[in-house]
Amino acid sequence: MHQILKQFHLLVQTLRVNIYLPEVLKMVKEYKVIWVQKNHGVIMPDANKTSMLNSLVGAAFGAAGQRCMALSTAVFVGEAKNWLPELKSRAENLQVNAGHIPNTDVGPVISPEAKNKIHSLIQSGIDEGAKILLDGRNISVPGYEKGNFVGPTILTDVKPHMKCYTEEIFGPVLVCLTADTLDEALDIINSNPYGNGTAIFTTNGATARKFTHEVQCGNVGVNVPIPVPLPMFSFTGTRGSFLGQNHFYGKQGYHFFTELKTVTQLWKESDATDTKAAVSMPVMR
């Protein structure tokens, strides 16, 4: 295998890759790995409430929360926390069903093991003192009672030391923290080991500028809940969410999959007349 594997590009959602990755990296000279994420959304009190609530619900629970850019963590700054009841109302109106059924908003998670892990992390949050504003663990879908369904779930009063915050849940679960100021919200995000993506919801340009300059994440959105860059730009996750030399797609992706070759040539109309060889660095004559 080591004779044919020149480059290695991997997108994973689990720290178990640590078991295998060191051996793989011994075989390659170039690699990039995009892995564990904990994407934060900061909600400022001056945000456009309706747009923010729609964005947050869609980004947290769409695709059953099983996408690398899901907005799985919300940090409500100041009075923004008063919007939590409306957030709950919108989330509990989402339709949970099999993915091929029309008007389904939230489909099943990928496996029974994923469902059990999600349930376990929700319970760990409750055990550590978080409050469950919306519980989707006991949902039953008619005709698919044995399906791997988890309904939209919202945990509030979450603290950074809790397991439901430190681990990627990778399901339709939104964990909610509070902060008194934007600086405190930034401290929460920048203290987290992962730096894949983040977003801020605000109508204040100065607030947005401060956030985009100081937050330590690679993909940053302003009033954009899932800030996946367009293909001409690179997907720029950082810190614990990325390992390697170059990011994928965009210019960095192009360079990653390109092996440079330089060809130096000399052509003359006639043969050389000097019979003495030049022993210094060759030059054009």
Side-chain angles (χ1 to χ4, degrees), residues 9-30:
H9 179 177
L10 177 66
L11 172 63
V12 292
Q13 298 298 144
T14 173
L15 284 174
R16 288 195 206 104
V17 74
N18 281 328
I19 300 172
Y20 310 106
L21 192 57
E23 293 303 314
V24 174
L25 297 187
K26 291 177 182 178
M27 307 177 191
V28 296
K29 62 179 181 179
E30 288 185 283

PDB file of all heavy atoms in Angstrom, residues 9-30:
ATOM      1  N   HIS A   9      -6.647  12.097   1.938  1.00  0.00           N
ATOM      2  CA  HIS A   9      -7.656  13.115   2.231  1.00  0.00           C
ATOM      3  C   HIS A   9      -8.806  12.409   2.931  1.00  0.00           C
ATOM      4  O   HIS A   9      -9.401  11.489   2.384  1.00  0.00           O
ATOM      5  CB  HIS A   9      -8.127  13.769   0.935  1.00  0.00           C
ATOM      6  CG  HIS A   9      -9.188  14.812   1.129  1.00  0.00           C
ATOM      7  ND1 HIS A   9      -9.693  15.544   0.096  1.00  0.00           N
ATOM      8  CD2 HIS A   9      -9.829  15.238   2.240  1.00  0.00           C
ATOM      9  CE1 HIS A   9     -10.611  16.376   0.550  1.00  0.00           C
ATOM     10  NE2 HIS A   9     -10.717  16.192   1.839  1.00  0.00           N
ATOM     11  N   LEU A  10      -9.133  12.840   4.145  1.00  0.00           N
ATOM     12  CA  LEU A  10     -10.127  12.119   4.944  1.00  0.00           C
ATOM     13  C   LEU A  10     -11.019  13.093   5.686  1.00  0.00           C
ATOM     14  O   LEU A  10     -10.558  14.080   6.257  1.00  0.00           O
ATOM     15  CB  LEU A  10      -9.422  11.194   5.944  1.00  0.00           C
ATOM     16  CG  LEU A  10     -10.297  10.394   6.918  1.00  0.00           C
ATOM     17  CD1 LEU A  10     -11.136   9.367   6.137  1.00  0.00           C
ATOM     18  CD2 LEU A  10      -9.439   9.692   7.955  1.00  0.00           C
ATOM     19  N   LEU A  11     -12.325  12.820   5.666  1.00  0.00           N
ATOM     20  CA  LEU A  11     -13.290  13.561   6.470  1.00  0.00           C
ATOM     21  C   LEU A  11     -13.914  12.580   7.435  1.00  0.00           C
ATOM     22  O   LEU A  11     -14.539  11.600   7.024  1.00  0.00           O
ATOM     23  CB  LEU A  11     -14.378  14.188   5.583  1.00  0.00           C
ATOM     24  CG  LEU A  11     -15.559  14.844   6.306  1.00  0.00           C
ATOM     25  CD1 LEU A  11     -15.073  16.009   7.144  1.00  0.00           C
ATOM     26  CD2 LEU A  11     -16.616  15.304   5.307  1.00  0.00           C
ATOM     27  N   VAL A  12     -13.733  12.794   8.721  1.00  0.00           N
ATOM     28  CA  VAL A  12     -14.240  11.869   9.729  1.00  0.00           C
ATOM     29  C   VAL A  12     -14.946  12.635  10.831  1.00  0.00           C
ATOM     30  O   VAL A  12     -14.756  13.829  11.005  1.00  0.00           O
ATOM     31  CB  VAL A  12     -13.111  11.022  10.353  1.00  0.00           C
ATOM     32  CG1 VAL A  12     -12.534  10.073   9.344  1.00  0.00           C
ATOM     33  CG2 VAL A  12     -12.024  11.914  10.921  1.00  0.00           C
ATOM     34  N   GLN A  13     -15.765  11.921  11.597  1.00  0.00           N
ATOM     35  CA  GLN A  13     -16.545  12.561  12.650  1.00  0.00           C
ATOM     36  C   GLN A  13     -16.285  11.913  14.014  1.00  0.00           C
ATOM     37  O   GLN A  13     -17.103  12.010  14.903  1.00  0.00           O
ATOM     38  CB  GLN A  13     -18.046  12.442  12.323  1.00  0.00           C
ATOM     39  CG  GLN A  13     -18.452  13.132  11.034  1.00  0.00           C
ATOM     40  CD  GLN A  13     -18.204  14.610  11.046  1.00  0.00           C
ATOM     41  OE1 GLN A  13     -17.852  15.185  10.041  1.00  0.00           O
ATOM     42  NE2 GLN A  13     -18.359  15.243  12.172  1.00  0.00           N
ATOM     43  N   THR A  14     -15.162  11.250  14.174  1.00  0.00           N
ATOM     44  CA  THR A  14     -14.916  10.563  15.435  1.00  0.00           C
ATOM     45  C   THR A  14     -13.444  10.586  15.784  1.00  0.00           C
ATOM     46  O   THR A  14     -12.579  10.529  14.915  1.00  0.00           O
ATOM     47  CB  THR A  14     -15.396   9.095  15.379  1.00  0.00           C
ATOM     48  OG1 THR A  14     -14.991   8.425  16.565  1.00  0.00           O
ATOM     49  CG2 THR A  14     -14.830   8.375  14.168  1.00  0.00           C
ATOM     50  N   LEU A  15     -13.170  10.652  17.049  1.00  0.00           N
ATOM     51  CA  LEU A  15     -11.787  10.632  17.512  1.00  0.00           C
ATOM     52  C   LEU A  15     -11.168   9.248  17.414  1.00  0.00           C
ATOM     53  O   LEU A  15      -9.985   9.084  17.632  1.00  0.00           O
ATOM     54  CB  LEU A  15     -11.728  11.125  18.963  1.00  0.00           C
ATOM     55  CG  LEU A  15     -11.866  12.641  19.127  1.00  0.00           C
ATOM     56  CD1 LEU A  15     -11.948  13.001  20.598  1.00  0.00           C
ATOM     57  CD2 LEU A  15     -10.723  13.390  18.479  1.00  0.00           C
ATOM     58  N   ARG A  16     -11.966   8.218  17.072  1.00  0.00           N
ATOM     59  CA  ARG A  16     -11.393   6.879  16.929  1.00  0.00           C
ATOM     60  C   ARG A  16     -10.344   6.823  15.822  1.00  0.00           C
ATOM     61  O   ARG A  16      -9.557   5.909  15.744  1.00  0.00           O
ATOM     62  CB  ARG A  16     -12.503   5.860  16.623  1.00  0.00           C
ATOM     63  CG  ARG A  16     -13.403   5.571  17.810  1.00  0.00           C
ATOM     64  CD  ARG A  16     -14.213   4.315  17.559  1.00  0.00           C
ATOM     65  NE  ARG A  16     -15.443   4.341  18.306  1.00  0.00           N
ATOM     66  CZ  ARG A  16     -16.624   4.599  17.790  1.00  0.00           C
ATOM     67  NH1 ARG A  16     -16.731   4.862  16.499  1.00  0.00           N
ATOM     68  NH2 ARG A  16     -17.699   4.603  18.529  1.00  0.00           N
ATOM     69  N   VAL A  17     -10.401   7.810  14.928  1.00  0.00           N
ATOM     70  CA  VAL A  17      -9.400   7.847  13.865  1.00  0.00           C
ATOM     71  C   VAL A  17      -7.994   7.935  14.436  1.00  0.00           C
ATOM     72  O   VAL A  17      -7.022   7.564  13.786  1.00  0.00           O
ATOM     73  CB  VAL A  17      -9.680   9.029  12.913  1.00  0.00           C
ATOM     74  CG1 VAL A  17      -9.308  10.352  13.540  1.00  0.00           C
ATOM     75  CG2 VAL A  17      -8.927   8.849  11.594  1.00  0.00           C
ATOM     76  N   ASN A  18      -7.842   8.405  15.672  1.00  0.00           N
ATOM     77  CA  ASN A  18      -6.535   8.464  16.317  1.00  0.00           C
ATOM     78  C   ASN A  18      -5.870   7.105  16.385  1.00  0.00           C
ATOM     79  O   ASN A  18      -4.648   6.990  16.424  1.00  0.00           O
ATOM     80  CB  ASN A  18      -6.663   9.029  17.739  1.00  0.00           C
ATOM     81  CG  ASN A  18      -6.803  10.540  17.738  1.00  0.00           C
ATOM     82  OD1 ASN A  18      -6.256  11.203  16.875  1.00  0.00           O
ATOM     83  ND2 ASN A  18      -7.526  11.074  18.686  1.00  0.00           N
ATOM     84  N   ILE A  19      -6.675   6.046  16.406  1.00  0.00           N
ATOM     85  CA  ILE A  19      -6.132   4.696  16.518  1.00  0.00           C
ATOM     86  C   ILE A  19      -5.393   4.323  15.236  1.00  0.00           C
ATOM     87  O   ILE A  19      -4.340   3.689  15.258  1.00  0.00           O
ATOM     88  CB  ILE A  19      -7.265   3.684  16.799  1.00  0.00           C
ATOM     89  CG1 ILE A  19      -7.982   4.055  18.113  1.00  0.00           C
ATOM     90  CG2 ILE A  19      -6.724   2.266  16.840  1.00  0.00           C
ATOM     91  CD1 ILE A  19      -9.221   3.218  18.362  1.00  0.00           C
ATOM     92  N   TYR A  20      -5.945   4.725  14.090  1.00  0.00           N
ATOM     93  CA  TYR A  20      -5.416   4.284  12.803  1.00  0.00           C
ATOM     94  C   TYR A  20      -4.565   5.340  12.113  1.00  0.00           C
ATOM     95  O   TYR A  20      -3.690   5.001  11.316  1.00  0.00           O
ATOM     96  CB  TYR A  20      -6.576   3.899  11.879  1.00  0.00           C
ATOM     97  CG  TYR A  20      -7.554   2.955  12.515  1.00  0.00           C
ATOM     98  CD1 TYR A  20      -8.810   3.397  12.939  1.00  0.00           C
ATOM     99  CD2 TYR A  20      -7.229   1.615  12.707  1.00  0.00           C
ATOM    100  CE1 TYR A  20      -9.715   2.525  13.534  1.00  0.00           C
ATOM    101  CE2 TYR A  20      -8.130   0.745  13.300  1.00  0.00           C
ATOM    102  CZ  TYR A  20      -9.372   1.202  13.714  1.00  0.00           C
ATOM    103  OH  TYR A  20     -10.249   0.350  14.304  1.00  0.00           O
ATOM    104  N   LEU A  21      -4.814   6.595  12.398  1.00  0.00           N
ATOM    105  CA  LEU A  21      -4.183   7.659  11.637  1.00  0.00           C
ATOM    106  C   LEU A  21      -2.657   7.642  11.699  1.00  0.00           C
ATOM    107  O   LEU A  21      -2.003   7.825  10.667  1.00  0.00           O
ATOM    108  CB  LEU A  21      -4.727   9.013  12.105  1.00  0.00           C
ATOM    109  CG  LEU A  21      -4.388  10.214  11.223  1.00  0.00           C
ATOM    110  CD1 LEU A  21      -4.880   9.993   9.803  1.00  0.00           C
ATOM    111  CD2 LEU A  21      -5.000  11.479  11.800  1.00  0.00           C
ATOM    112  N   PRO A  22      -2.040   7.441  12.865  1.00  0.00           N
ATOM    113  CA  PRO A  22      -0.569   7.447  12.874  1.00  0.00           C
ATOM    114  C   PRO A  22       0.054   6.455  11.896  1.00  0.00           C
ATOM    115  O   PRO A  22       1.066   6.758  11.253  1.00  0.00           O
ATOM    116  CB  PRO A  22      -0.226   7.089  14.326  1.00  0.00           C
ATOM    117  CG  PRO A  22      -1.398   7.564  15.114  1.00  0.00           C
ATOM    118  CD  PRO A  22      -2.585   7.290  14.228  1.00  0.00           C
ATOM    119  N   GLU A  23      -0.551   5.271  11.749  1.00  0.00           N
ATOM    120  CA  GLU A  23      -0.004   4.281  10.830  1.00  0.00           C
ATOM    121  C   GLU A  23      -0.191   4.704   9.376  1.00  0.00           C
ATOM    122  O   GLU A  23       0.678   4.500   8.537  1.00  0.00           O
ATOM    123  CB  GLU A  23      -0.672   2.924  11.061  1.00  0.00           C
ATOM    124  CG  GLU A  23      -0.341   2.305  12.413  1.00  0.00           C
ATOM    125  CD  GLU A  23       1.170   2.140  12.602  1.00  0.00           C
ATOM    126  OE1 GLU A  23       1.832   1.661  11.661  1.00  0.00           O
ATOM    127  OE2 GLU A  23       1.669   2.493  13.682  1.00  0.00           O
ATOM    128  N   VAL A  24      -1.349   5.328   9.102  1.00  0.00           N
ATOM    129  CA  VAL A  24      -1.603   5.800   7.735  1.00  0.00           C
ATOM    130  C   VAL A  24      -0.617   6.898   7.361  1.00  0.00           C
ATOM    131  O   VAL A  24      -0.063   6.916   6.256  1.00  0.00           O
ATOM    132  CB  VAL A  24      -3.052   6.308   7.600  1.00  0.00           C
ATOM    133  CG1 VAL A  24      -3.272   6.946   6.230  1.00  0.00           C
ATOM    134  CG2 VAL A  24      -4.033   5.161   7.808  1.00  0.00           C
ATOM    135  N   LEU A  25      -0.377   7.817   8.286  1.00  0.00           N
ATOM    136  CA  LEU A  25       0.481   8.952   7.981  1.00  0.00           C
ATOM    137  C   LEU A  25       1.926   8.544   7.730  1.00  0.00           C
ATOM    138  O   LEU A  25       2.672   9.279   7.093  1.00  0.00           O
ATOM    139  CB  LEU A  25       0.417   9.982   9.108  1.00  0.00           C
ATOM    140  CG  LEU A  25      -0.963  10.620   9.349  1.00  0.00           C
ATOM    141  CD1 LEU A  25      -0.860  11.735  10.371  1.00  0.00           C
ATOM    142  CD2 LEU A  25      -1.567  11.135   8.048  1.00  0.00           C
ATOM    143  N   LYS A  26       2.325   7.366   8.215  1.00  0.00           N
ATOM    144  CA  LYS A  26       3.667   6.874   7.931  1.00  0.00           C
ATOM    145  C   LYS A  26       3.834   6.526   6.450  1.00  0.00           C
ATOM    146  O   LYS A  26       4.949   6.447   5.948  1.00  0.00           O
ATOM    147  CB  LYS A  26       3.963   5.635   8.786  1.00  0.00           C
ATOM    148  CG  LYS A  26       4.099   5.922  10.276  1.00  0.00           C
ATOM    149  CD  LYS A  26       4.320   4.623  11.042  1.00  0.00           C
ATOM    150  CE  LYS A  26       4.403   4.864  12.543  1.00  0.00           C
ATOM    151  NZ  LYS A  26       4.561   3.596  13.293  1.00  0.00           N
ATOM    152  N   MET A  27       2.713   6.307   5.773  1.00  0.00           N
ATOM    153  CA  MET A  27       2.765   5.846   4.387  1.00  0.00           C
ATOM    154  C   MET A  27       2.680   6.986   3.384  1.00  0.00           C
ATOM    155  O   MET A  27       2.849   6.760   2.187  1.00  0.00           O
ATOM    156  CB  MET A  27       1.598   4.887   4.115  1.00  0.00           C
ATOM    157  CG  MET A  27       1.472   3.733   5.077  1.00  0.00           C
ATOM    158  SD  MET A  27      -0.001   2.760   4.676  1.00  0.00           S
ATOM    159  CE  MET A  27      -0.091   1.699   6.125  1.00  0.00           C
ATOM    160  N   VAL A  28       2.368   8.187   3.831  1.00  0.00           N
ATOM    161  CA  VAL A  28       2.123   9.274   2.880  1.00  0.00           C
ATOM    162  C   VAL A  28       3.010  10.459   3.189  1.00  0.00           C
ATOM    163  O   VAL A  28       3.461  10.661   4.316  1.00  0.00           O
ATOM    164  CB  VAL A  28       0.643   9.721   2.921  1.00  0.00           C
ATOM    165  CG1 VAL A  28      -0.268   8.608   2.472  1.00  0.00           C
ATOM    166  CG2 VAL A  28       0.256  10.205   4.313  1.00  0.00           C
ATOM    167  N   LYS A  29       3.257  11.267   2.174  1.00  0.00           N
ATOM    168  CA  LYS A  29       4.039  12.474   2.376  1.00  0.00           C
ATOM    169  C   LYS A  29       3.147  13.707   2.469  1.00  0.00           C
ATOM    170  O   LYS A  29       3.576  14.756   2.951  1.00  0.00           O
ATOM    171  CB  LYS A  29       5.053  12.649   1.244  1.00  0.00           C
ATOM    172  CG  LYS A  29       4.451  12.802  -0.143  1.00  0.00           C
ATOM    173  CD  LYS A  29       5.540  12.987  -1.192  1.00  0.00           C
ATOM    174  CE  LYS A  29       4.955  13.161  -2.587  1.00  0.00           C
ATOM    175  NZ  LYS A  29       6.014  13.359  -3.599  1.00  0.00           N
ATOM    176  N   GLU A  30       1.911  13.604   1.974  1.00  0.00           N
ATOM    177  CA  GLU A  30       0.968  14.698   2.075  1.00  0.00           C
ATOM    178  C   GLU A  30      -0.356  14.160   2.606  1.00  0.00           C
ATOM    179  O   GLU A  30      -0.806  13.090   2.195  1.00  0.00           O
ATOM    180  CB  GLU A  30       0.722  15.348   0.710  1.00  0.00           C
ATOM    181  CG  GLU A  30       1.886  16.161   0.202  1.00  0.00           C
ATOM    182  CD  GLU A  30       1.522  16.869  -1.096  1.00  0.00           C
ATOM    183  OE1 GLU A  30       1.506  16.197  -2.142  1.00  0.00           O
ATOM    184  OE2 GLU A  30       1.241  18.079  -1.045  1.00  0.00           O
TER     185      GLU A  30
END
